[in-house]
Amino acid sequence: MQMAELKINLVIGEKKVIPYVTGCFKEDGVWKIYMVGECQDFDIVQEGNEDKIFSMMHSITKSRLKCSNN
């Protein structure tokens, strides 16, 4: 049996305007989560301290893994 390929596009610590990327970066002391859509639309979806942002990134990753396994 062949396993399906899973690709999750995550970027940590820098901005990348690549379609279907989710990432986080620190700007002026504030961490930000962003998502980039198909047309390279860059949207900040959450701001906060390091703990809050990395907890949210963990949740996003777990959710995507769960969805891909169904």
Side-chain angles (χ1 to χ4, degrees):
M1 180 191 307
Q2 190 175 24
M3 298 287 289
E5 182 178 323
L6 174 63
K7 186 173 184 178
I8 299 176
N9 296 320
L10 295 175
V11 175
I12 306 296
E14 60 185 332
K15 294 183 207 179
K16 294 281 185 180
V17 184
I18 301 169
Y20 306 114
V21 163
T22 298
C24 65
F25 64 97
K26 188 175 183 181
E27 183 176 73
D28 298 326
V30 178
W31 279 90
K32 300 177 182 190
I33 294 177
Y34 66 90
M35 294 183 176
V36 181
E38 180 179 7
C39 297
Q40 297 182 335
D41 46 319
F42 183 95
D43 293 310
I44 302 292
V45 295
Q46 187 78 40
E47 295 184 3
N49 65 30
E50 183 175 4
D51 289 339
K52 178 180 178 181
I53 293 303
F54 280 92
S55 177
M56 181 68 75
M57 290 292 287
H58 180 254
S59 295
I60 290 168
T61 303
K62 279 179 48 176
S63 175
R64 289 186 180 170
L65 287 171
K66 184 178 177 180
C67 288
S68 70
N69 287 331
N70 291 331

